[in-house]
Amino acid sequence: MLLSALLAALLSVASGLFSSEKSAEEPAPGEVTIPIDPRSSGPRADDPAIVGSRIPGRPLVVIDAGHGGRDGGAISPHNGAVEKEITLRLARAIRDELVRSGKMRVALTRDDDRFIELRERYEIARRLGADLFISVHADAAPMSDEAHGATIYTLSEVASDREAALLAARENKSDIIGGVDLKGKNAEVNMILIDLAQRESMSVSTDFARLLKREASEFVPFRPEPHRFASLIVLKAPDIPSILFESGYLTNAQDSAYLQSPKGQQQIATGMRRAVEAHFARRMVQATRR
C-alpha cells in the first residue's frame, strides 16, 4: 500500500492548510482544509465482496468488467456478441485464476449486468483499499476490420496517438448514459496533492503494463507496440496503479471468436495472473530495499 501511504502522509502534513470553500468560521492563519481523504470512509455495505487469500496484508486486485446494464459497449458485426457480456466473462475468469493462485485477494466491480458510473468504478477500488485496478474491455475498429490483438492503456493527459484519443473519447462518454456531468465532479480537489500521488501511480501502472506484455505474450495475441496512453476517466484513481486492458477487437472475426471461447478466456486469465504475480513480487523486493 505504498501509494496510499504516500497520499495519506501528504494529506496529513497539509491538513488544515487549504480550504476549497469558505466555512462559517474562518480558518486560523496557515490552516488548510483538504477536501478529501481518499480512503477514510472505508468500504460500504453495498461494495463487492473480496475473495481469495485470507492472509492479512495480501495484495488486493480489483477487476472491472467494462460497460454493463444500459451501456452495452461494442457489438461484434460477425456474431452479435456484446462487449459487456464478454468483459464480465473475462473478469470472472481472471478473478478465478487469481484466487486459485492463493497469493492475493480479488474483487469485481460488478459480477452481474449492471451500469456503474466510470468514477464509481475506481472509487469502489479506493474504498476497498486496492493495490491494483484492471479494467477489462473489448475493442472495436469501425473503419478497419483488420485491426486485431490486445492493447494495454495507462493514464496520460496527452494520448499517445489519435487512436488512443478516440478510445478515450468513446469510453469517457459512458457516464453520459447515466446522465452524469463528469466535468462537474471533484472540482474542489487539491490538485497539487493529487498530482503528486498520481504521478507515482502512473509510473507503477506503466511498469505493470510492460510486465503484462512480457508475461502474457505466450498466451495472449497482442497488437504491435501494445502499450498506449490515453486520458481515460476509469484510470484516474490518484493512488492506485491502473490499466485498461482491451482484450481484442470484436470487429475482427478471429479476435471475436477467441474472446468468446472458454480457451481464449482462460489464456487471458493465465497471462494476467502471471503478470500480477510478477508485479507484486517486484513491489515486495523494492519495498525491502527501501
Side-chain angles (χ1 to χ4, degrees), residues 89-90 92-94 96-98 100 219-220 258-273:
R89 293 186 202 128
L90 286 173
R92 287 170 173 167
I94 295 169
D96 294 346
E97 182 71 13
L98 292 177
R100 277 193 293 270
F219 308 97
V220 180
Y258 170 76
L259 295 176
Q260 293 176 76
S261 70
K263 181 178 179 180
Q265 292 163 14
Q266 182 56 48
Q267 286 181 329
I268 289 173
T270 299
M272 192 68 72
R273 188 258 305 159

Side-chain angles (χ1 to χ4, degrees), residues 64-68 71 83-85 87-88 110 121 135-137:
D64 172 48
H67 305 277
D71 176 17
E83 182 179 2
K84 68 175 183 178
E85 298 172 357
T87 61
L88 183 55
R110 69 178 182 94
R121 292 172 185 268
S135 189
V136 181
H137 290 252

Side-chain angles (χ1 to χ4, degrees), residues 94-172:
I94 295 169
R95 174 199 61 192
D96 294 346
E97 182 71 13
L98 292 177
V99 167
R100 277 193 293 270
S101 77
K103 298 178 180 179
M104 60 205 71
R105 300 173 297 141
V106 190
L108 301 184
T109 56
R110 69 178 182 94
D111 197 12
D112 55 19
D113 185 18
R114 70 176 68 189
F115 176 81
I116 306 176
E117 299 171 11
L118 293 175
R119 278 190 173 86
E120 176 61 14
R121 292 172 185 268
Y122 72 67
E123 288 295 348
I124 289 171
R126 297 178 76 229
R127 289 195 299 269
L128 294 178
D131 298 282
L132 184 65
F133 179 83
I134 300 170
S135 189
V136 181
H137 290 252
D139 215 336
M143 301 302 294
S144 171
D145 62 0
E146 295 182 0
H148 65 91
T151 313
I152 310 162
Y153 287 88
T154 56
L155 180 65
S156 173
E157 292 306 318
V158 179
S160 57
D161 54 27
R162 182 175 179 274
E163 183 179 349
L166 291 173
L167 172 73
R170 185 171 71 245
E171 295 294 347
N172 289 348

Side-chain angles (χ1 to χ4, degrees), residues 228-247:
R228 306 200 175 192
F229 300 88
S231 182
L232 293 159
I233 291 171
V234 76
L235 299 180
K236 290 190 175 182
D239 46 359
I240 305 174
S242 306
I243 69 160
L244 186 144
F245 178 68
E246 290 282 4
S247 52

